[in-house]
Structures are given as structure tokens and as C-alpha cells.
Amino acid sequence: MRLRNIKGSRDIIATSPYVIHDIEEKKGKWNTVFGNDHPIYIEVGMGKGQFIIEQAIQHPEINFIGIEKYSSVLLRAIEKRETLEMDNIFFIRMDAEHITDVFDQDEVSRIYLNFSDPWPKDRHAKRRLPSRQFFDRYNKILKPDGVVEFKTDNKGLFEFALEEVVEAGWDLKAYTFDLHHDENMCKGNIMTEYEEKFSSMGNPIHKLIADRE
Ligand code: SAM
């Protein structure tokens, strides 16, 4: 997702109290940002933030961090956030390629990947967020009992992810090719913006949960 460049979005982001800057200095110290020791869940590629903001509303006992690469998209999440009273969510603007510079070993308890960009060309496979290269990065920041949860309607990307989990030495804890008709896996499901759009067009939603236990 890349929106038209919005004039001034960088300035708004630079001064927003909901966006954390100097992120490399926060490595190993994210609990001080929230002022408590609650578990930290992150969404990589949060888009306009619908999913992670709703998670934060429903789970005040968890700290959430939404990561997004593009200012124009992050701006939309900030606008939503500004209408809400809560203290358990912050945003970061960054390319997740550098995620290990920002979070320390065992600092994160859960990683959400939702409707990640497919990067269809083979030579770009390592840019896909559920690729083995990214699982190696997630391995460096996730607690031993932490999980990665990935949802998409893109069957090719999902099948790629199923293979990459195993190639990266992780385990498939659960998966389904039709989340919305899987009673167990759909329990408590929060729809992302893309999930609403593609499921309303009749596309089945695929989901996997990966861990290292
Ligand atoms: N997760 C949202 C949803 O399900 O509605 C948005 C999905 S959108 C297709 C993917 C988002 O991930 C885009 O906003 C894109 O800018 C962001 N993204 C892709 N690669 C990224 C990366 N390496 N680091 C941070 N954000 C990334």
C-alpha cells in the first residue's frame, strides 16, 4: 500500500506523540516507553493501522507497536489514533529490514504479518515479510515461546510462507486456507483493512501461526 504523497506528512509524523523516534536507542528498553512490563506485540506492515489499533483497544494488558514503511500510510494510523484514549500503542516509521537494530533478543512476544506485499518476482523473494530471511530476523527479537501470525488472501504467498517457516527451522503450530470458516482459528479474529476488502470479494483468507517450541 502506498498512498499519494501527502504534503507535510513527514512534519506531522516528526512531531506526533504517537510515533517513536530515535528507535535504535529504545532497543532493549521498550518497556520504559510504555512504563510497564506488559508483553509487546508488533505488527510489521500495519498499513493504516485498523487491525493493531483494534487489538490495542481489546487488550489493554498488552503493549502494541505498529511498524509501517511509508509516511503517507502511517499518517492515516496517526489520525485514527488521535481520536482514541489509550496508552498501550505506539507507531514506528521504518523498513522492517532493520528490525533487529530496534528490538533486542526476547523483547517481543508476538509478531503479526497481515496481507504482506507479495513481491512476485523470484529475485525479490527475500523482501517478502514471511521469507526465511525475515524469519531469521524475527528469531533474534522474539521470546522463546513467541509466535508469528500471518494472514493473507494470496495463495501463492501463503504457500511460499508455509515452506519458508520450515526452511527457517520454525514449526507450523496451526494453519488454515479458509480462516473465516475455521471455527477454532477464527475465534477472536480481528479483521484488517485488506481482509475486509478481499473477503468481501469472496476471497478465502489464509492464516498460519509459527513458533520455535
Ligand atoms: N496490514 C495491513 C492490512 O492488512 O490491511 C496493510 C497491508 S498492505 C498490503 C502492506 C503494508 O505493509 C503497506 O502499508 C506497506 O507499506 C507495508 N510494508 C511492506 N513492506 C514493509 C517493510 N519492509 N517494512 C515496513 N512496512 C512494510
Side-chain angles (χ1 to χ4, degrees), residues 7 9-10 12 21 31 33 45 53 63 76 79 85 96 117 126 131 136 155 158 164 178 198:
K7 215 169 156 235
S9 61
R10 288 210 173 227
I12 295 169
H21 308 283
N31 284 335
V33 172
I53 290 173
N63 294 327
R76 299 300 180 216
E79 286 167 356
E85 279 286 322
D117 295 340
K126 62 176 188 292
S131 64
D136 284 347
K155 194 159 179 239
F158 189 67
E164 292 296 282
D178 194 356
F198 290 118

Side-chain angles (χ1 to χ4, degrees), residues 55-103:
Q55 283 281 7
I57 292 169
Q58 291 191 21
H59 297 285
E61 75 288 3
I62 307 287
N63 294 327
F64 292 90
I65 300 173
I67 297 172
E68 172 52 49
K69 187 161 59 166
Y70 290 117
S71 303
S72 56
V73 185
L74 172 56
L75 192 62
R76 299 300 180 216
I78 294 172
E79 286 167 356
K80 265 187 217 124
R81 173 67 187 82
E82 281 169 349
T83 64
L84 299 163
E85 279 286 322
M86 59 215 288
D87 53 12
N88 63 329
I89 184 165
F90 286 104
F91 304 130
I92 299 176
R93 192 187 67 76
M94 69 175 284
D95 188 323
E97 209 185 328
H98 307 294
I99 202 162
T100 55
D101 297 334
V102 172
F103 296 100

Side-chain angles (χ1 to χ4, degrees), residues 1 43-48 67-70 73 94-97 114-117 119 127 129 134 192-195:
M1 183 192 307
E43 183 183 8
V44 182
M46 68 162 173
K48 298 180 197 166
I67 297 172
E68 172 52 49
K69 187 161 59 166
Y70 290 117
V73 185
M94 69 175 284
D95 188 323
E97 209 185 328
N114 291 318
F115 295 79
S116 308
D117 295 340
W119 291 104
R127 296 187 192 171
L129 295 179
F134 270 95
T192 81
E193 196 164 34
Y194 272 60
E195 184 172 355

Side-chain angles (χ1 to χ4, degrees), residues 99-113:
I99 202 162
T100 55
D101 297 334
V102 172
F103 296 100
D104 215 346
Q105 184 76 50
D106 297 349
E107 197 162 22
V108 174
S109 294
R110 186 173 297 182
I111 299 174
Y112 294 109
L113 311 174

Side-chain angles (χ1 to χ4, degrees), residues 39 171 191:
D171 298 318
M191 299 258 259

